[in-house]
Amino acid sequence: MRRSLSTVFFILLFLTLFAEVRYKFGGDTDYPPFEYANDRGAPVGFNIDVLRAISSALDFDVEIELRVWTSARAALEDGKIDGLLGMCYSEERDILVDFSNPHIILHGSIFSNRKTGKYSSLNDLRELRVAVQKGDLMDELVSSEVAGSEIVRVEYPEIALRMLNEGQVDAVLLGKIQGLYLIKELSLKNILVSEDPFVRLEYCFAVKEGDVELLSLRNEGLAIISSTGEYRQIYNKWFGAIDANASNSPWQSFLLFALPAALIMLLVLVGKYLWNRALRKEVREKTAFLSAKLAEEKSVETQLSLSVQRYKSMSETISDYYYEIDFSNDGEDHEVWRSEAFERISGHSLDSPDLQELDWESVIHPEDLDCYKGHFESVRSGNEERIEYRIVRKDGALRWASEYSKPSYSKDSSRVRGIRGAVRDITDEKLVKDELERTKEKVSKLHDIALKMEKSNEEDTIFHSIIDASANILGMEMFGLYLLYNQEIVTLETKGEVASMQGYLFRSGILRDSIENGNTTFISNSSLCKVITDCEQSILAVPMKSIGVLVSYHDSPMKQEEVKLVEILMAHAVEAIYRIRSDKEIHYVTFHDPLTSLYNRSFFEEEVERLNVERQMPISIVMGDVNGLKIVNDAFGHLEGDRLLKTVADCLKSSMRSDDIIARWGGDEFIMLLPQTDTQSAESLVGRIRKALNRITGFSLPISVSFGIGTKFDADQDFREALISAEERMYRDKLLNNISMRSRTVKVLEKSLLNKSYETEEHTERVKTLSRDFGKFIGLSEAELDNLLLLGALHDIGKIAVPEEILTKAGSLTSEEWKKIKSHPEAGFRIALSSPELVGIADEILSHHEWWDGSGYPRGLVGESIPLLARMMSIIDAYDVMTSGRPYKHPVSSEEAIEELRRCAGKQFDPGLVDSFVSFLNV
């Protein structure tokens, strides 16, 4: 009684304190059935109704504002609202806000897709994609307890369940009550819920930290609507038969109303105690008996009710259709029980009036009916059987079913009295299995294509294999194969009407981007419609590295496994093409000369064996040797020598027939194999080649090639005989060419020197005149005079190997440039050794910059170890340079020049020769 009075007192106190107060509450804008905005934008839901019931009971005003959940939480923590409509308790959250007494116990469950099956614990979710509501307690739990998973955070639970239903995530963590409510409301068919919850959550009201008054008001108001039964009405309105914890408020109602009545009854009984004593004993005994009987019946009723409730829950949850059939004595089979899943599988309602006339065989596909009857008779004979067959639903849809049936026996005998069975819709499983079989078949065929590619030696075969696989294995109705050729994308093959989309791909650069970045590119139909009018297709571009790209134009998006198959096909194609190109490159390097790109000696020798057949006779062999290659290399550099060889090779190749074979035989030698060609025809070819060589310009020395011909007249003749004959004739031709080339070589070298340096013909003639007269003056022999004259013209011949910009530079030379200048005696020495005309003065050319005191270059010779003609030339050349001048230096008089020679005598010049030269000048 005291507790009842206290309750009334506190209620009156709160009514007085908060009569005129208005509170602002926040909640989630899309968290059905607890709180959400309806189609008109008004807040509705279980939490809304509970808050309004409390405000009505305690007579205070409320303002409700729904937001995104994370925003609502932030508003409470920032003090912008007074409380939240609902929030699950946790120790971490209790630090930030205050919680009311819990009024619902929520069970956190794992929702999964039917294809993956149920998950029993959070450990099963490792390495999977798990969706949770952003900021929800599930978000906090999964972040700390499910390591290695990919967490997908969404704003609303509805989004997470839709993603799960469509297979975009593997699982969703959500309260079981809310999840089941949303699944029913959204008609989501592909979702399962875990058998056992993985967490127990206390669902409370939440207020600002320290707001004791509002918290007390919420708790007291909750107690009132619980005692009046209004809370239960609201609960049933939103959750119906979904199980939840019952409130303890009926006991408060009992204490408030039943207890006073019981006390009054007790007073009446005490007043009648004396005159009713005897009767009371009998009543007590009877009452005890009836109470026991009633308790027993109530227990049975409770168990029966629980069984019915469990059966109903199981029947609604399990997708299999269960049935029982009893065999009657009249020979008829009576289906005595069907589970709720009958309607889900067959489409026929259990409440339909014509259901009694409908037997299961009437929904079986006619083509499968005989097989099913055989199955039924086997079970009737006492066997347990399984069978798969097709059924036709009431709406006409064709579905696959799997049935397991077993006989049931009479209790007192082994006679089969009926059949018990379960039927499962396996259409989705069949579709998956059929799809898997089709995929396996595609993989098998693609494997055969890959083996074909692996054995192929031609790129065209690879490309045709891709086209064949795209059309006949991958089932592409519209596609295009594009190749990157010389930095341009070209179309190799197309199928279907792809012109407009293909034009867009070329203009936008998508094909080139796909090839360059090597990534598969998908362009949706919605994106294409913005640039291509009335476009109904999507585009998938799968690159072949730097080779090209295969583009599929399709009406519906390709499945991920189909895309993977295309990528595997492209990977095999790329590997095969790279192998073919590598083999060709190896073959090319093996049988070609890297400088001239002609065949090499190894290839030529193989071709000789191949062509050594009677129908190719006679076969002529032409050998060619480039004359003067060594002097070109020494005089003008090896790059110029290489250019000469390539020019000759191109000339030879362009003069031959397509069936003829030309190869580089050695350093400066070429060899040609001419099938079905006699000696006279080979000579005609050599004549054409000589004329073509004479027309070539751009070289300092005239191009000269010596040729020799040998002919093999029958297959039994030794090839070496023809080869030796051609080689001997080539050397005879080379001997004749060398004699005629010598004088031309000296003149060409002299002209090249004049063209490249400051030297002039006048200077050369003056030096030659001084050399002849001075040589006679000191008594040189005729041979020495000839060599001195030649030395006077070509002592600086090595300068043709020095870059012209250094020789003609007006300013000071750098140290590196001086090194190049000082290397010209050695270059001249090599050039002289390459020419028979200049061999006699090679040592003098090398030594003409040596000084008497040993400070010259390149060898630092001293005194008379310097060749005589080199010592004479250094004096003659210096005198003419001083007296005739240079563009960068004025000339001096003969007396000044003689004075300079005497000053340098004993240091740069031979003092004895200086005296002789001065005497010669005076004479």
Side-chain angles (χ1 to χ4, degrees), residues 323 379 382-385 404-409 418-422:
Y323 67 87
V379 178
N383 301 313
E384 295 184 15
E385 297 286 353
Y404 168 73
S405 308
K406 62 182 296 185
S408 60
Y409 299 91
I419 294 178
R420 305 292 180 263

Side-chain angles (χ1 to χ4, degrees), residues 315 321 338-343 348-353 355-356:
S315 181
Y321 155 51
R338 294 169 171 159
S339 69
E340 299 287 337
F342 174 85
E343 181 175 348
H348 295 277
S349 173
L350 289 172
D351 300 327
S352 175
L355 184 61
Q356 296 301 323

Side-chain angles (χ1 to χ4, degrees), residues 15-52:
L15 288 173
T16 302
L17 293 174
F18 298 97
E20 299 301 324
V21 177
R22 183 180 182 88
Y23 293 99
K24 186 174 183 179
F25 290 86
D28 195 336
T29 188
D30 192 3
Y31 198 68
F34 292 95
E35 55 204 43
Y36 63 100
N38 62 15
D39 295 338
R40 297 186 301 275
V44 294
F46 172 75
N47 290 343
I48 309 297
D49 289 353
V50 170
L51 178 61
R52 286 174 174 162

